[in-house]
Amino acid sequence: MPDTQHVTILLVEDDPGHARLIERNLRRAHITNEIITLTDGYAAVDYFFGAGPRRALPLLVLLDLNLPGLSGLQVLERLKADGSTKHIPVICLTTTDNPPDIERCYALGANVYITKPIAYEQFAEAIRQLGLFLSVVKIPQGEVTP
Amino acid sequence: MPTDDWRHKIETLQQQVKTVRAAAAHPTQLPEGLQEELAVLQTAMEELRVIAEALQQQHETIHQQTETVLRDSEARQHAILQTAVDGIITIDERGMVESLNPAAERLFGYPADEVIGHNISRLMPAPHREAHDGYIARYRQTGEAHIIGSGREVRGQRRDGTTFPIALAVSEVRLDDRRIFTGMVHDLSARVQAEEALRQAHDELEQRVRERTAALQEANDDIRRFAYIVSHDLRAPLINLHGFAGELRDACAVLSAALPAVVPHLEARQGAEVTRALEADIPEALGFIETAVARMDRLIQAVLQLSRLGRQELQCEPVATTALVHETLRTLAHQMAQRQVQVTVGPLPVVYADRLALAQIFGNLLANAVAYLDPDRSGEITITAEQRPGITVFAVQDNGRGIAAADIPRVFEPFRRVGRQDVPGEGMGLAYVRTLVRRHGGDITCQSTLGVGTTFSFTIAHALSQEVSYA
């Protein structure tokens, strides 16, 4: 899948353990894309909208909702409100399967919502499915025009 | 004796006196031997005089009494006018004041002489002040009364120009040749002030209730948010614990796979220790960690669930509880068949409630009733309902093992499990049930005798059908 090989995955996750587990399981599911990890919401917003040279847009965001500072939902809202970023697929990751949270995520334009399962096997399975999703979804390259 | 009879008798007597006087004018013609009759006449005359005097006196007494009564009556009327709390004012047909009592003087702040002979309109504020002559003229022309014969609340104006609320009742008095109007003026200032104070107190109370309710609601929301956040944040580290325990297991598997190749190169004792560490100690430690994590996760999920039940919106509708209970019993059919349970479902009403919540309540209570039956006797479970003012009381009664008196207060607490621990569970069922019952404006109680049986009674408020929410 040459297209997906160039996709940079931006992982926004404040818990280093979770970040490590997600990364390991992505690798275990044979996903070799570059993974950039950011640990809070402001860093994520700065990454997209901050001053300085425009960076290549990552084409998939894994977004933890329970972030310090700017919450995941706020980051999601910013991304989906801006023409240059609203087409980037966003996968929300949380520790809860609270229905109102899920609804809110989808209402704000999240593409997928994944509950971080406690059981290791389920977690790996969820990440693998994420890998499958990555290989089937058509992800446009480079800068996106609104 | 009627007046005419009296008059007739007196006239007859006068006539006879005249006859006797005429006869006495000529004494020569007086027949002989009348001395005795004359004496009789004299006695009769004397009696008559006495009677006449008595009558006269009686008449005077009656006259005096009548006068006294009249005087009293006038004095009383005067006293009433003078001491009346309400103002009493009379005016003539042109609106000129003829009299006013001290209460009216006091109310309006005028001495009588500044009002008597003046137009009554000086006691009124605009626009009535200018229009009052017109009111009287209209009434004289059309006889159409707006206030006469009835009363209404208007405003009076004092001498200092201030106005005050009064209840005014006007009546018309027809004298021989003319008519006057009497106005009764009752000061409403105190009442209006009291009403205003009452209204203010009421508003303040309402405001305070609103504030309290908002504060309570906020505290309630805080508790729920807290439970939610705690559950949420407690789960995050568990994901790491479990995830990295899994990573360690994987790493151990890699080492274990290499073990047969490595062990021969080690000393016998060291080889045995490495083998035991890799194949027994580490897996055992990981097992304990994973069991503890799984238990912690279940507890957190239970708290989260409790918090959700307390928050979710009730979808209330009429629920036929007989059908609901039978549905619930069907899901327990297998367990009940094993224990040969006899179930009696009394006549149950239709209640206005959240169907899912009610199913959960009955589901928990009935599952408990079945699970905690006494294996030494055949089980009996009875479900009944009773209508009381404002509430429906449901009862689920069993002849199971019962709960020790000391344990009863704790059965509804989260994570509390009482009695012998031979039935699996987290100890959350009754905590959920109580939360759901309370959402329905009710409460749940437990009566139990160890070794005899248990009855759980819960109430559902009828007020739910009137859109009252119990947050």
Side-chain angles (χ1 to χ4, degrees), chain A residues 49 73-88 90 107-110 146:
Chain A
F49 308 109
L73 284 174
Q74 287 170 303
V75 173
L76 176 64
E77 206 165 4
R78 278 295 299 273
L79 288 179
K80 292 300 177 183
D82 193 293
S84 68
T85 53
K86 72 175 179 188
H87 296 291
I88 299 172
V90 177
L108 285 174

Side-chain angles (χ1 to χ4, degrees), chain A residues 38-127:
Chain A
L38 301 174
T39 55
D40 69 73
Y42 286 109
V45 169
D46 285 347
Y47 183 90
F48 289 102
F49 308 109
R54 189 98 190 171
R55 296 183 223 203
L57 283 179
L59 292 177
L60 181 85
V61 178
L62 295 182
L63 182 62
D64 181 37
L65 291 186
N66 204 24
L67 294 171
L70 217 52
S71 80
L73 284 174
Q74 287 170 303
V75 173
L76 176 64
E77 206 165 4
R78 278 295 299 273
L79 288 179
K80 292 300 177 183
D82 193 293
S84 68
T85 53
K86 72 175 179 188
H87 296 291
I88 299 172
V90 177
I91 296 171
C92 291
L93 300 166
T94 69
T95 47
T96 174
D97 55 355
N98 191 35
D101 281 4
I102 300 175
E103 278 166 34
R104 181 122 180 80
C105 268
Y106 282 122
L108 285 174
N111 301 74
V112 180
Y113 183 103
I114 293 178
T115 306
K116 294 173 187 169
I118 191 76
Y120 185 73
E121 300 72 27
Q122 288 167 25
F123 189 79
E125 185 54 32
I127 297 297

